[in-house]
Amino acid sequence: MTQTLDRAKGLRIGTKREPFVGYIRVSTYYEEKISPEIQRSSISAWAERNNAEIIDWVEDLDVSGRKMKRKISTAIKDVEDRVARGIAVWRYSRFGRSRHANAVYLAKLEAVGGRLVSATEAADTRTAFGRLQMGMAFKFAEYESDRIGEQWAETREHRRAAGLPATGGKRWGYVWHRRQLDEDAGVIHRERYEPDDIGLIVTKLYERVAEGESMGSVTQWLGRNGYQGTRGKPWLQSGLTRYMDSGFAAGWIRYHPDGCDCPPKDPDSNRSRGMDCPNRIWVPGAHELIVPEDVWEAYKEKREKARNAPSGNRKPAYVTSGITRCGRCGGTASAAGGATYGAGKVLIKKPGYLFRCSAMKDNGTCDGVYILRTVVEKAVRTNLRKWADAIEAEAAKIPQQRGEQVASPRERLSTARQRLNDRLGEIQREIDRQTSLVSRNIIPEDSYIRERDRLGKEQEGVTAELAELDQRTEQDEAKPADYLPVVRGLVDRWDITPVETRRSMLRTVLRGVWAYPKSTAPDGTETPAYAVPVTVWEDEPNLIGPRANA
């Protein structure tokens, strides 16, 4: 009879079945999409055959094995807390396909005494030969990942030569016809894009922008008239700008140069390498254009003028621009103007009078917030004074060493990274020295094996520690005392510091300023709109939801 595991108390003595966590990962690559049901069934069958019990399931669905940020950490935490003996996977390739990630996570698992088992690959990882088999499986998994990557590169090159976008999929203003085989006629219908009824709207948008209308204005027009993108959602100005700048409707396909020397893609990011690089090339597409060439050229000229506008016109004019957030949806809140009539009914304009939710402005998907800019700035200044006093009071309690200088978060990260890299170098040199000694018969082989295993275990631990450090940012490492000079400088010299300088300083201290709308309590008491500045060492506040009545 299998005893139930008590997570609060950890492993019980005398359980007849070993508890394991089942880990399921479904890759983003189509040919690797082994369904979760198949993986779950195989792992459950392995547990029955091997007197084990799957106490929990951890799933990473549609996640690449090259990513570091996966839920596998949750499974390892169960082993660390002695809730489980190890992790069971369908195949070792489900554990990961990155050499670095596999080494890190396996080192973490083994460091807490855990085991990694495969339901479909017979390898007893408690033996040296079993660990060799597992290592070979990881090597083949990495090879397969590299091979698939090369195939995707060849596919993109083939699509480019055929005048098709790299990823296929729907394009606004066009009907997408997939590649199909007509078996009865023995004909292959090629993939193609044909203009649809929305094409006329797309053409009109380009013409309006080319004639001087702003992107914000045409985005609002689309929202008011109920036009949605290919995913059935209202357009945002940023998304519409990316679509129109791509030039697809003008008959062009935009690509990122293969030989570009920009940094490689971050495997943990959903952004492609080309999205963060300004280099672009345009090649003629095989589809029919719906925007005339002269309109496209006029549009590009208008957009280029907007990008190259004088910095005084393009830089944020207000200190909290770009860091103010909507307390309902969490999106950006942009500055907006107001107006009033003075004596003699003279219209007095008030630029930057308030902040309003961008989602509310662009497409009405959020009830949004209106808040006076003066309220936001007052909240920031009030909190800066409180933070400065609190940091100084806390620092006064800590004994200071004479001549000691407090390192910045960046310096601390750099120092810790250098220390770990130096230790890895020392370990490798010691392993090489031990190998040289045993090869010359200076030390016995059993002494060498013990020392090699000890050094190998330390090497895995240092590698895992270094990988964790690589995931940390300066904000993660930040302490309030690190920002005291910036906070005190803002408090003391707020009125004499230029707006752009104040804004840059605030961005180093704040995650953002969340603005919440006015509300009315059941008893009729009204609470005016208010702002909550949040520092980089604090967690983001909770949102109240995009809809007031949600």
Side-chain angles (χ1 to χ4, degrees):
M1 177 175 133
T2 302
Q3 296 186 19
T4 304
L5 200 69
D6 189 341
R7 286 178 171 269
K9 297 180 180 179
L11 296 178
R12 290 184 175 181
I13 304 299
T15 54
K16 294 183 178 180
R17 288 180 177 267
E18 283 193 312
F20 277 78
V21 176
Y23 176 66
I24 295 173
R25 183 180 65 80
V26 180
S27 175
T28 53
Y29 293 121
Y30 181 79
E31 65 183 77
E32 286 191 344
K33 286 185 179 293
I34 308 301
S35 72
E37 290 75 18
I38 293 176
Q39 297 185 43
R40 186 187 297 268
S41 176
S42 296
I43 294 172
S44 298
W46 169 87
E48 288 297 323
R49 294 193 308 268
N50 292 271
N51 197 34
E53 177 186 7
I54 305 301
I55 63 166
D56 196 8
W57 295 95
V58 176
E59 296 185 356
D60 271 323
L61 303 183
D62 210 29
V63 177
S64 170
R66 286 187 171 273
K67 289 193 174 186
M68 283 290 296
K69 295 179 180 179
R70 291 185 281 127
K71 295 178 183 177
I72 188 66
S73 301
T74 304
I76 295 175
K77 184 68 166 56
D78 282 344
V79 179
E80 184 179 5
D81 293 341
R82 295 190 55 77
V83 173
R85 300 282 191 194
I87 300 173
V89 294
W90 177 66
R91 299 190 67 175
Y92 287 122
S93 62
R94 299 301 90 197
F95 189 71
R97 288 190 177 274
S98 165
R99 178 176 64 253
H100 179 64
N102 286 344
V104 169
Y105 285 130
L106 193 58
K108 287 183 179 180
L109 181 62
E110 293 179 345
V112 295
R115 292 172 51 204
L116 176 65
V117 297
S118 170
T120 58
E121 296 162 311
D124 187 353
T125 55
R126 291 169 293 190
T127 67
F129 185 69
R131 288 191 292 272
L132 173 64
Q133 287 179 297
M134 180 174 62
M136 292 175 64
F138 281 146
K139 283 295 183 183
F140 276 111
E142 183 186 352
Y143 157 74
E144 281 295 312
S145 181
D146 292 339
R147 180 187 63 81
I148 292 171
E150 291 176 356
Q151 288 182 342
W152 274 112
E154 293 172 358
T155 299
R156 287 193 296 270
E157 182 61 34
H158 171 74
R159 295 181 64 84
R160 181 185 307 178
L164 295 170
T167 56
K170 298 178 180 179
R171 293 295 187 276
W172 202 50
Y174 289 84
V175 177
W176 178 38
H177 298 278
R178 298 172 181 264
R179 183 175 179 269
Q180 292 181 339
L181 171 62
D182 187 340
E183 296 182 355
D184 295 334
V187 177
I188 296 178
H189 297 286
R190 298 188 175 216
E191 180 182 349
R192 66 193 188 279
Y193 290 86
E194 295 180 350
D196 62 9
D197 296 338
I198 297 294
L200 297 175
I201 302 299
V202 176
T203 305
K204 187 63 177 176
L205 292 181
Y206 276 91
E207 291 174 347
R208 291 170 63 170
V209 175
E211 292 171 359
E213 192 168 347
S214 69
M215 293 299 301
S217 176
V218 296
T219 306
Q220 292 174 11
W221 182 85
L222 288 174
R224 288 194 302 269
N225 289 275
Y227 290 106
Q228 299 178 333
T230 56
R231 297 182 180 179
K233 295 181 179 180
W235 280 102
L236 289 175
Q237 182 177 331
S238 56
L240 183 64
T241 301
R242 283 194 301 271
Y243 166 72
M244 295 181 68
D245 284 352
S246 71
F248 186 85
W252 296 97
I253 303 293
R254 186 173 63 176
Y255 276 91
H256 178 243
D258 293 333
C260 185
D261 57 358
C262 63
K265 179 186 181 301
D266 179 1
D268 291 321
S269 172
N270 292 326
R271 296 178 63 82
S272 67
R273 180 185 175 197
M275 290 176 69
D276 296 318
C277 179
N279 296 330
R280 296 287 188 277
I281 57 174
W282 276 266
V283 297
H287 58 286
E288 179 184 345
L289 59 86
I290 54 179
V291 176
E293 185 66 23
D294 59 333
V295 175
W296 166 243
E297 291 297 331
Y299 169 84
K300 285 200 301 181
E301 183 179 354
K302 168 67 171 59
R303 294 287 296 140
E304 191 64 25
K305 285 181 179 179
R307 294 189 191 96
N308 297 328
S311 58
N313 294 338
R314 290 185 56 80
K315 286 183 180 179
Y318 312 107
V319 68
T320 51
S321 295
I323 59 175
T324 306
R325 301 281 182 267
C326 173
R328 290 188 184 277
C329 66
T332 58
S334 55
T340 185
Y341 285 98
K345 295 187 177 180
V346 176
L347 181 65
I348 303 174
K349 294 184 177 181
K350 299 180 178 180
Y353 180 65
L354 50 80
F355 282 102
R356 62 180 177 181
C357 172
S358 296
M360 175 186 65
K361 172 181 71 73
D362 286 348
N363 51 49
T365 56
C366 176
D367 280 357
V369 59
Y370 285 99
I371 186 170
L372 295 179
R373 179 169 57 86
T374 54
V375 172
V376 176
E377 294 183 3
K378 182 179 179 180
V380 170
R381 296 189 67 175
T382 301
N383 280 271
L384 284 172
R385 286 191 290 268
K386 291 180 180 178
W387 294 328
D389 295 340
I391 295 172
E392 288 177 341
E394 189 65 26
K397 301 177 184 178
I398 304 174
Q400 299 294 318
Q401 299 294 326
R402 181 172 298 178
E404 180 183 3
Q405 292 185 352
V406 180
S408 66
R410 178 178 297 181
E411 291 170 340
R412 288 199 297 270
L413 284 173
S414 178
T415 301
R417 192 174 290 112
Q418 185 62 46
R419 174 179 58 80
L420 293 175
N421 282 320
D422 290 344
R423 182 53 189 155
L424 283 177
E426 293 173 0
I427 293 172
Q428 188 58 53
R429 287 191 292 272
E430 182 61 23
I431 292 175
D432 294 342
R433 190 177 75 86
Q434 292 292 324
T435 303
S436 176
L437 290 175
V438 73
S439 65
R440 289 182 290 160
N441 295 322
I442 297 177
I443 61 174
E445 187 173 355
D446 58 343
S447 297
Y448 162 74
I449 292 175
R450 285 195 301 272
E451 187 65 10
R452 181 202 61 190
D453 291 346
R454 183 188 69 80
L455 291 170
K457 196 168 185 178
E458 183 181 357
Q459 190 177 43
E460 290 177 353
V462 174
T463 301
E465 192 177 348
L466 184 61
E468 289 181 356
L469 192 67
D470 287 340
Q471 299 299 313
R472 293 184 64 80
T473 64
E474 292 182 39
Q475 290 189 354
D476 295 330
E477 191 70 15
K479 300 176 182 178
D482 298 327
Y483 297 94
L484 180 58
V486 178
V487 174
R488 180 52 67 189
L490 284 166
V491 171
D492 295 340
R493 292 182 290 276
W494 180 275
D495 294 325
I496 62 175
T497 304
V499 170
E500 185 62 24
T501 304
R502 270 183 286 164
R503 181 173 173 273
S504 298
M505 295 171 70
L506 279 178
R507 289 175 72 89
T508 65
V509 177
L510 299 180
R511 290 187 185 273
V513 184
W514 275 258
Y516 293 88
K518 66 179 182 180
S519 59
T520 303
D523 61 359
T525 304
E526 289 192 354
T527 301
Y530 63 97
V532 179
V534 180
T535 65
V536 295
W537 61 84
E538 296 174 322
D539 294 330
E540 294 185 2
N542 295 326
L543 304 176
I544 61 177
R547 292 288 180 185
N549 299 320

